[in-house]
Amino acid sequence: MGKKGKKEKKVSGAEKTACKMEKKVSKRSKREEEDLEALIAEFQSLDAKKTQVVETTCPPPSPRLSASLSAHPEKDELILFGGEFFNGKKTYLYNDLFFYNIKKNSWVKSEIPNPPPPRCSHQAVVVPQSGGQLWVFGGEFASPNGEQFYHYKDLWVLHLATHTWENIKAPGGPSGRSGHRMVLSKRQLLVFGGFHESSKDFIYYNDIYSFSLDTFSWSRLSPSGTAPSPRSACQMMTSTPDGLGVTIYGGYSKVRVKKDIEKGTIHSDMFVLKREGKDDLVEKWSWSRVSPSGNKPPPRSGFCMAMGPTGRAVLFGGVCDEEEEESLEGDFYNDLYLYDAVKNRWFPGLLRGNKTEKKKRRRGKKGGVEGEGAEKEEEDMSTPRGPYEIIKEIVTEDGTVMTIKETIPGRQEEEEGDEEEDEDDDGSSSPLIEPCPRSGAMATVRQGKLFLYGGMFETGDRQFTLNDFYCLDLHKMDQWEVLVEMDPSKSRIYSQSDRKVKKKEKSLTTVRFIALCAVLSRPTSSDAEVESKH
């Protein structure tokens, strides 16, 4: 009893400290948020003038990151909402709504009266009731100069059958935040983590809230066990085999070590939040840490994740920042990893390539000298090989050459008994088309296909916002399909060290892809460089 009492006091002390910090951050950021509230009110007054739903066929959405991409629960459609874009001078926040028709490969912009105000880093979850609903919670709004932030704590639902937005006003919910995660578990929405930031202070959360879709009410959960440390940008998956819990993976947080020095931490741990039943009509939950086996992803943040077929989660991309006292450099990724919740195991998502090309090479074995050469090639390609490097050069209108180096995982031996193993899978003779490395992309799965949109990457001191669109059949795992190529006239490159760089109406004129296959013992420390061409 004595030990239990001490533990409860420690927990209570930690909660009090967090509460004090939250009040401190809230007090300092209140003035900033009041300034932004007036700007947000202007956007809402403009939206209030719209009285009818207007739908128009349109080109793909503009370049952006930190938006939400969701699969329609009843139709072969994807729903993209919100996001942000910085052009080197000004930060743009969006509240536009797009529907992508998978079969027709076409986009429709839907302007619906009284939508949520512009935001990014929010969360959106689809619910298959009443003809389908899209629930949106939280996120952030930034001043045009990107120096002030407003964190939302509002909850919205888009009724897909009637194309109407509804603001759900329910007390007792999470505080204003962005970078949190939200999933559907049974008949409730679960919200975990996130952060709140002002120009001077910040706080990261590890609290967990539940919103009942039956009673439309919030409740803060108090799970037993050891919870994940406070963090944002983690991934939350409803992938436990029994369907009674959710999995938390990774994330990012930072602490202030000195007055003007902050230290960031990339988390790569995994936890399970499980429903343990009810006690006096109150649901009981518990935290437990899990240690997956297999080939785990290297530490990273900014990755995107979606639930694939048979309850497997698919992870793509991200960035690992190397923080120095006066600089911040990042290694961007475009690799795939899959997490099997039943086996509690990670494994790399290696692409098999086009089988038609492989059959042509196999038929070449019967043809004399050519057959011998083909056989030798077949043997070479069937053996394990290290990663190889692809170099992409983007030439801008002003002559700047951006060189992007991608390290593609090489062909590795499959684990014995792995159901992904394919006897005819003998590698590929040339590099496959793949999305370039990026973070902040949007991903979702529909009908067994992974869809990936936008995001950003950095080369040297420049950031590049993307508007390309890909899909990958997770059953075949053969190759990426390009649905929307990068649009040079819309994408923008800006200098982070000098935000006075002029915008270019036509920033890119040529995109050249040079594939170099070279066996590397390890990835280079710098994946991207920028060269100036005068």
Side-chain angles (χ1 to χ4, degrees):
M1 294 293 291
K3 291 183 178 180
K4 184 178 180 182
K6 289 182 180 179
K7 186 175 180 180
E8 289 177 351
K9 286 181 180 179
K10 288 182 179 180
V11 173
S12 178
E15 289 180 352
K16 287 180 179 179
T17 301
C19 185
K20 287 180 180 178
M21 179 61 71
E22 184 172 345
K23 288 181 179 179
K24 182 180 178 182
V25 173
S26 177
K27 186 177 181 180
R28 291 189 177 184
S29 63
K30 185 176 181 180
R31 182 175 298 177
E32 294 180 9
E33 296 198 340
E34 286 177 350
D35 293 338
L36 292 179
E37 281 179 352
L39 186 57
I40 294 172
E42 290 183 19
F43 284 109
Q44 288 183 302
S45 64
L46 291 175
D47 288 329
K49 296 178 180 179
K50 302 174 183 177
T51 58
Q52 295 182 340
V53 176
V54 178
E55 294 190 331
T56 54
T57 302
C58 64
S62 59
R64 65 189 65 197
L65 64 153
S66 302
S68 59
L69 182 66
S70 311
H72 196 293
E74 295 184 355
K75 300 179 181 179
D76 284 337
E77 292 182 344
L78 306 181
I79 310 167
L80 189 146
F81 172 74
E84 67 172 317
F85 173 72
F86 179 68
N87 67 359
K89 290 184 177 181
K90 186 177 178 180
T91 299
Y92 293 87
L93 278 299
Y94 302 112
N95 67 340
D96 44 8
L97 179 69
F98 296 90
F99 289 85
Y100 172 73
N101 188 301
I102 297 175
K103 293 181 178 179
K104 296 180 181 179
N105 188 25
S106 61
W107 290 90
V108 170
K109 184 175 182 179
S110 183
E111 298 181 64
I112 300 175
N114 299 309
R119 67 191 62 205
C120 68
S121 300
H122 55 279
Q123 282 289 279
V125 170
V126 290
V127 175
Q129 67 182 33
S130 304
Q133 297 174 337
L134 179 76
W135 289 81
V136 176
F137 173 76
E140 71 180 52
F141 180 86
S143 60
N145 62 8
E147 295 180 357
Q148 292 179 299
F149 304 95
Y150 182 91
H151 296 267
Y152 296 103
K153 58 179 179 180
D154 51 354
L155 179 65
W156 296 76
V157 58
L158 172 64
H159 300 280
L160 297 173
T162 59
H163 276 218
T164 54
W165 281 106
E166 181 182 0
N167 183 201
I168 306 298
K169 299 183 182 298
S175 57
R177 63 189 65 193
S178 60
H180 52 286
R181 291 298 178 259
M182 181 171 73
V183 296
L184 175 67
S185 178
K186 301 296 184 182
R187 292 284 302 162
Q188 53 191 325
L189 303 175
L190 298 178
V191 176
F192 170 79
F195 75 100
H196 187 288
E197 184 175 20
S198 67
S199 59
K200 294 183 179 180
D201 293 294
F202 55 84
I203 182 172
Y204 286 79
Y205 302 102
N206 67 341
D207 48 5
I208 181 86
Y209 283 81
S210 168
F211 180 79
S212 171
L213 294 174
D214 295 319
T215 63
F216 277 30
S217 61
W218 285 104
S219 61
R220 179 169 179 171
L221 305 182
S222 300
S224 59
T226 303
S229 58
R231 64 191 65 190
S232 69
C234 61
Q235 289 300 323
M236 196 174 184
M237 309 164 282
T238 51
S239 60
T240 54
D242 55 10
L244 296 176
V246 297
T247 302
I248 301 289
Y249 170 72
Y252 176 85
S253 64
K254 62 182 179 180
V255 295
R256 195 181 302 279
V257 294
K258 292 183 181 179
K259 185 177 180 180
D260 298 321
I261 300 178
E262 301 169 358
K263 183 180 180 181
T265 300
I266 296 177
H267 303 279
S268 57
D269 46 4
M270 182 176 283
F271 294 81
V272 169
L273 176 67
K274 195 169 184 179
R275 186 184 287 104
E276 300 289 353
K278 290 187 178 181
D279 184 9
D280 295 332
L281 301 179
V282 178
E283 281 193 335
K284 296 296 183 180
W285 297 77
S286 66
W287 283 112
S288 61
R289 184 166 180 169
V290 294
S291 298
S293 60
N295 194 339
K296 303 175 185 178
R300 65 189 68 190
S301 62
F303 57 87
C304 54
M305 213 163 181
M307 288 304 303
T310 65
R312 287 180 171 176
V314 186
L315 180 152
F316 173 85
V319 60
C320 181
D321 290 323
E322 298 177 4
E323 298 186 22
E324 302 293 340
E325 288 189 4
E326 297 182 356
S327 64
L328 178 65
E329 294 184 357
D331 292 334
F332 285 75
Y333 298 97
N334 67 339
D335 48 1
L336 281 166
Y337 283 86
L338 289 87
Y339 173 69
D340 190 319
V342 176
K343 297 179 180 179
N344 189 28
R345 170 177 169 264
W346 284 102
F347 55 91
L350 301 177
L351 303 185
R352 297 185 171 97
N354 193 310
K355 291 187 177 181
T356 303
E357 294 298 323
K358 297 176 194 175
K359 290 179 180 179
K360 289 180 180 179
R361 290 199 302 274
R362 281 195 288 271
R363 285 198 295 268
K365 292 182 181 181
K366 301 178 181 180
V369 177
E370 291 185 6
E372 293 176 4
E375 185 175 359
K376 183 178 180 180
E377 178 187 352
E378 189 77 19
E379 291 174 356
D380 291 340
M381 295 308 299
S382 63
T383 58
R385 56 177 296 183
Y388 56 86
E389 189 175 83
I390 292 181
I391 297 179
K392 299 179 181 179
E393 291 184 354
I394 300 177
V395 184
T396 64
E397 186 72 22
D398 61 2
T400 301
V401 179
M402 298 181 62
T403 305
I404 310 165
K405 296 181 181 179
E406 304 178 34
T407 301
I408 308 300
R411 178 73 190 164
Q412 303 292 332
E413 291 187 62
E414 299 283 350
E415 284 190 28
E416 185 176 354
D418 191 346
E419 64 189 44
E420 274 68 38
E421 187 175 6
D422 188 343
E423 293 180 359
D424 293 334
D425 187 10
D426 54 3
S428 178
S429 60
S430 60
L432 300 171
I433 296 175
E434 294 185 319
C436 73
R438 67 190 68 196
S439 71
M442 291 68 73
T444 191
V445 172
R446 176 65 179 170
Q447 299 291 2
K449 289 186 176 182
L450 173 68
F451 292 87
L452 181 76
Y453 194 92
M456 58 79 72
F457 68 84
E458 296 171 356
T459 59
D461 67 341
R462 292 193 174 190
Q463 179 173 311
F464 190 52
T465 307
L466 301 161
N467 69 325
D468 48 357
F469 191 29
Y470 295 83
C471 78
L472 174 67
D473 191 320
L474 297 175
H475 295 292
K476 298 178 180 178
M477 288 295 288
D478 50 0
Q479 58 186 353
W480 286 95
E481 179 184 354
V482 182
L483 300 175
V484 176
E485 293 184 327
M486 180 177 60
D487 187 345
S489 65
K490 292 183 178 180
S491 300
R492 292 288 185 269
I493 303 171
Y494 73 86
S495 171
Q496 300 178 72
S497 60
D498 182 8
R499 292 194 171 187
K500 295 182 180 180
V501 174
K502 295 181 180 179
K503 288 193 299 180
K504 300 292 182 181
E505 290 302 323
K506 295 182 180 179
S507 59
L508 304 179
T509 55
T510 307
V511 178
R512 293 188 289 129
F513 294 90
I514 305 173
L516 301 178
C517 296
V519 178
L520 303 175
S521 57
R522 57 184 296 182
T524 57
S525 58
S526 177
D527 285 345
E529 298 175 354
V530 175
E531 297 176 3
S532 295
K533 188 175 181 181
H534 301 284

